Amino acid sequence: MKNLDAEALYRQLAEQIRPHVTPKTALVGIYTGGLWLAERLHAELGITQPLGAIDVSFYRDDYGSKGLHASPQRTEIPFNVDGAHVILVDDVLYTGRTTRAALNELFDFGRPAMVELAVLADRGSRELPIAARYCAHTLPQALPREQSLQLQRDENGRFTLALTGNG
């Protein structure tokens, strides 16, 4: 896999979303990488609805086998979900299970008019019928299960993507 420029991918993602932003658009970032992206997108795209954040730990279908994340975060949806155009933001799309969990949790807050998914990268290997409406990069070949593509953020807020694991 060639080196991916996460900052360039971020700019691509912002430009894909920009034409679709309306006063009803709200961003909800999935902890952690998705929230980092959502924070920057929220400011750059001038979205007026407050930024939301979701921790899907309790909504994962594999919660029983994986257990609780070491430091669960608080889900905050500070806008009226009913009738909203919600863009769910995550860093890397993999099996689709995190997205499914986020949708389940989001619907506990109300019934949005529309939910779209925005991701920086799609690594392949979907297990559920989930696709991103906005995606800056799709890997040409799915990564092996032993490998992980992780978004990292430095102290200046700049993004990098790191490939970890054996493969």
Side-chain angles (χ1 to χ4, degrees), residues 11-132:
R11 290 187 296 277
Q12 270 186 306
L13 186 62
E15 291 313 308
Q16 287 177 18
I17 296 170
R18 188 179 308 280
H20 305 280
V21 172
T22 72
K24 287 190 173 190
T25 301
L27 292 183
V28 175
I30 300 173
Y31 281 103
T32 299
L35 183 56
W36 294 341
L37 289 167
E39 288 168 345
R40 278 186 54 186
L41 288 166
H42 189 266
E44 183 168 328
L45 299 174
I47 292 175
T48 56
Q49 295 288 337
L51 178 64
I54 283 184
D55 181 338
V56 299
S57 297
F58 295 113
Y59 284 77
R60 289 287 305 225
D61 59 2
D62 54 3
Y63 174 79
S65 62
K66 285 190 171 185
L68 181 60
H69 186 272
S71 55
Q73 303 291 323
R74 181 182 173 97
T75 292
E76 295 184 39
I77 308 294
F79 58 87
N80 184 2
V81 171
D82 290 322
H85 167 215
V86 177
I87 300 177
L88 198 55
V89 182
D90 204 0
D91 50 357
V92 178
L93 179 57
Y94 180 26
T95 62
R97 293 185 182 286
T98 297
T99 304
R100 184 211 47 83
L103 286 168
N104 286 351
E105 188 166 359
L106 181 66
F107 273 78
D108 283 351
F109 287 87
R111 188 170 191 274
M114 175 190 317
V115 180
E116 297 177 308
L117 178 62
V119 298
L120 200 61
D122 182 341
R123 63 162 282 167
S125 298
R126 205 82 63 248
E127 295 175 3
L128 297 173
I130 290 175

Side-chain angles (χ1 to χ4, degrees), residues 129-140:
I130 290 175
R133 168 75 165 87
Y134 310 104
C135 179
H137 183 74
T138 300
L139 296 180

